[in-house]
Amino acid sequence: MEELTQEQQTQKSISAAFDSINLINELQQKQSLTQEEQDRVDRNKEHLNIMLNKDWFEQALTQQQKQQIQAAAQ
């Protein structure tokens, strides 16, 4: 199995963050959420906030990506 470079790992983390944003947006379009769905939203928002606090992650983001992640993490 091939090792990922630091840049590939960073891009994979950014992609995962946008997967979280998509999940949050999808669930928030529903009229109401089950407790399990709300927990998923909360966990994904927490994940985004954790990632934003990592210097290597934040430095790899474009300004637009950073704004999108910050907005979803609220």
Side-chain angles (χ1 to χ4, degrees), residues 7-34:
E7 184 176 333
Q8 288 171 321
Q9 289 174 335
T10 300
Q11 289 305 313
K12 193 171 180 179
S13 293
I14 292 171
S15 179
F18 278 88
D19 289 342
S20 288
I21 290 172
N22 291 336
L23 177 72
I24 291 165
N25 290 340
E26 180 182 315
L27 288 173
Q28 289 183 331
Q29 289 179 5
K30 296 179 85 173
Q31 289 287 336
S32 63
L33 298 178
T34 65

Side-chain angles (χ1 to χ4, degrees), residues 23-62:
L23 177 72
I24 291 165
N25 290 340
E26 180 182 315
L27 288 173
Q28 289 183 331
Q29 289 179 5
K30 296 179 85 173
Q31 289 287 336
S32 63
L33 298 178
T34 65
Q35 185 60 51
E36 182 181 332
E37 289 169 331
Q38 185 60 55
D39 290 345
R40 288 178 73 194
V41 168
D42 294 343
R43 281 192 308 273
N44 279 275
K45 286 183 177 189
E46 182 179 351
H47 166 72
L48 294 175
N49 282 308
I50 289 168
M51 294 308 291
L52 283 171
N53 285 318
K54 296 180 185 287
D55 288 338
W56 61 266
F57 180 80
E58 186 179 7
Q59 291 170 2
L61 298 173
T62 66

Side-chain angles (χ1 to χ4, degrees), residues 18 52 58 61-71:
F18 278 88
L52 283 171
E58 186 179 7
L61 298 173
T62 66
Q63 189 61 35
Q64 181 181 10
Q65 288 172 322
K66 185 176 176 183
Q67 289 171 343
Q68 289 173 298
I69 293 171
Q70 287 172 330

